[in-house]
Amino acid sequence: PILLCLENVQLADELSISALQLLNRYARSKRVPLRICAIAGSGPDTQFDKFLNNPDLRSEWRITHFNNASEANEVERLLAGLTADQRTALEAATVFALPFSLSDWQSLLPDQLRSTADSAVEELVTRGVLRRVGEDRLQIAYGELLDALSRGLNAEQRKTLHAQSLVSDESVDAFAAAWHAAEGDCSDQ
């Protein structure tokens, strides 16, 4: 049997949900049992929860909602410790679909914030704001922190950053590239 644990499903968009529907169909047609545990860091009523209410999926999927009161306090503590420049730089990093490299992150930032990102990486990793994934990849440590930081971007900023992300390393991943193209309103690319 294979168990897949999917974290932060409250962030799932339509493209992610479509991919998971395909995975569910694949799981039903194979002899190897596949069980999927979806872990949400926030309350119900997300797009993903609506998807899970489909009676077809109940036997295949199990969803767990964390009690996120303590995580919310941790997020507030982490946000309070950020300088204005660090927060602005991290807001830009919320558009990455996959763990990102420092150079990809810096490519999204205005000149005055590039050195902030470079000098703050070790501090942010030590404080638990960022997490290292492999040797040279980073990601924002918590789903709730990612949500809180992404609220700092307006729709136009988010769209621009997604368009810029199409030329980053992660755009070689077809799902990430399609997501950036859709979110950046540049599907022709």
Side-chain angles (χ1 to χ4, degrees):
I2 298 172
L3 172 66
L4 295 180
C5 291
L6 305 173
E7 297 182 39
N8 297 324
V9 295
Q10 76 276 8
L11 302 176
D13 59 3
E14 285 184 39
L15 184 63
S16 303
I17 291 170
S18 296
L20 292 168
Q21 285 173 319
L22 288 173
L23 179 61
N24 183 63
R25 285 190 206 117
Y26 174 83
R28 289 172 157 238
S29 66
K30 297 299 173 191
R31 291 188 342 213
V32 175
L34 175 62
R35 294 293 176 260
I36 299 165
C37 178
I39 303 168
S42 64
D45 299 327
T46 62
Q47 254 186 324
F48 198 84
D49 286 319
K50 291 173 188 156
F51 165 65
L52 288 176
N53 286 331
N54 178 342
D56 257 2
L57 298 176
R58 288 202 178 133
S59 63
E60 302 293 329
W61 295 73
R62 180 170 59 90
I63 187 158
T64 304
H65 285 284
F66 285 139
N67 175 355
N68 62 352
S70 61
E71 190 173 332
N73 293 338
E74 177 67 7
V75 168
E76 287 173 18
R77 185 189 67 75
L78 290 172
L79 289 174
L82 297 174
T83 67
D85 283 351
Q86 287 173 341
R87 186 172 180 141
T88 303
L90 285 165
E91 287 169 356
T94 63
V95 301
F96 288 111
L98 303 171
F100 52 90
S101 68
L102 177 60
S103 60
D104 284 342
W105 182 23
Q106 288 176 318
S107 72
L108 298 182
L109 299 174
D111 291 339
Q112 69 272 18
L113 290 178
R114 289 182 182 162
S115 62
T116 298
D118 189 35
S119 62
V121 166
E122 290 309 317
E123 175 195 344
L124 294 173
V125 168
T126 302
R127 287 183 27 221
V129 175
L130 292 175
R131 178 171 59 201
R132 288 205 181 275
V133 180
E135 268 184 49
D136 62 344
R137 312 292 283 175
L138 302 162
Q139 72 182 78
I140 295 173
Y142 300 103
E144 288 294 313
L145 180 59
L146 182 79
D147 286 345
L149 287 166
S150 69
R151 287 192 288 273
L153 295 174
N154 65 40
E156 195 55 43
Q157 288 172 313
R158 188 172 288 110
K159 196 169 152 179
T160 301
L161 290 170
H162 278 292
Q164 286 177 283
S165 296
L166 272 174
V167 297
S168 72
D169 283 348
E170 80 167 357
S171 66
V172 298
D173 180 282
F175 283 107
W179 182 61
H180 287 308
E183 294 293 311
D185 230 5
C186 39
S187 297
D188 55 324
Q189 292 183 12

